Amino acid sequence: MNYYAVQVMGAREEVFIDWVNRHQEKLSENTRFFFPRRRLTIRRQGRQLQELYPVFPGYVFAESSESGAYLYDQVRLAPNFCRFLPSNTNIQPLCQKDLAILIHFIGKNDIAESSKVYFDENDRIVVVSGPLAGMEGNIIKVDRRKKRAKIKLDFANEAFHLDLAFDVMERSSVETPQNEPLPS
């Protein structure tokens, strides 16, 4: 299977996917359009709400065994369609680095939940599990009050910042991979 990135109008990812699913019977059954999302806790008027936001705003991904040119012919007339990456005349599947980032965020499903973290004795964030795992070197800011970490990602030859949620675990309840308690 190959993965292709499709740029769509901002905040129109679901509209694009719905149109493609309804109007394109010619696409094979092994073609799937999706966009990874992240769950964030938002405070509004004193209440905390769980909301979903796209990980890559304005991008939809196609998982397909079809060629990029065939996919382009099937979806180019869809409302909110902009282009395939890198361009409509040079449609390429995602390369190793970009594909690894995408696979990291889609994981078991298309929603990135909160990561489990704790803070060590030097007040540095330590990721135990979740979407932040393996991204520790990309963290540029941590907001403990909002329980968010801002990370810098390089995707499709562009750098952008992304907020991901985390839940803080008590150090006493966290164990190392060898099942030994952490030193106090």
Side-chain angles (χ1 to χ4, degrees), residues 48-182:
Q48 290 190 353
L49 305 170
Q50 297 285 323
E51 295 192 6
L52 293 175
Y53 293 94
V55 173
F56 306 101
Y59 290 96
V60 171
F61 298 92
E63 177 185 17
S64 179
S65 59
E66 304 287 352
S67 72
Y70 181 79
L71 289 174
Y72 172 74
D73 287 339
Q74 298 302 313
V75 302
R76 66 186 169 88
L77 298 177
N80 306 308
F81 172 79
C82 292
R83 67 186 178 114
F84 272 83
L85 293 182
S87 72
N88 287 337
T89 58
N90 182 23
I91 299 170
Q92 298 291 322
L94 295 176
C95 65
Q96 294 101 353
K97 182 184 72 140
D98 293 340
L99 183 59
I101 291 171
L102 177 64
I103 297 296
H104 179 82
F105 282 107
I106 59 175
K108 296 175 186 150
N109 58 18
D110 295 341
I111 299 176
E113 299 291 345
S114 295
S115 295
K116 303 291 184 207
V117 305
Y118 69 92
F119 292 90
D120 66 6
E121 58 276 347
N122 295 326
D123 227 18
R124 290 181 298 198
I125 191 168
V126 178
V127 181
V128 177
S129 66
L132 285 171
M135 299 270 179
E136 292 87 350
N138 297 355
I139 297 174
I140 56 175
K141 181 180 176 185
V142 174
D143 187 336
R144 284 186 173 197
R145 185 182 71 81
K146 290 183 179 180
K147 296 182 180 178
R148 292 191 197 159
K150 185 179 293 283
I151 63 172
K152 181 180 180 181
L153 286 179
D154 293 323
F155 188 81
N157 296 326
E158 289 192 26
F160 67 96
H161 297 142
L162 173 69
D163 284 347
L164 292 173
F166 63 81
D167 293 324
V168 179
M169 302 172 62
E170 295 296 322
R171 278 192 76 224
S172 60
S173 66
V174 177
E175 293 184 359
T176 60
Q178 296 84 15
N179 293 327
E180 298 174 12
L182 292 172

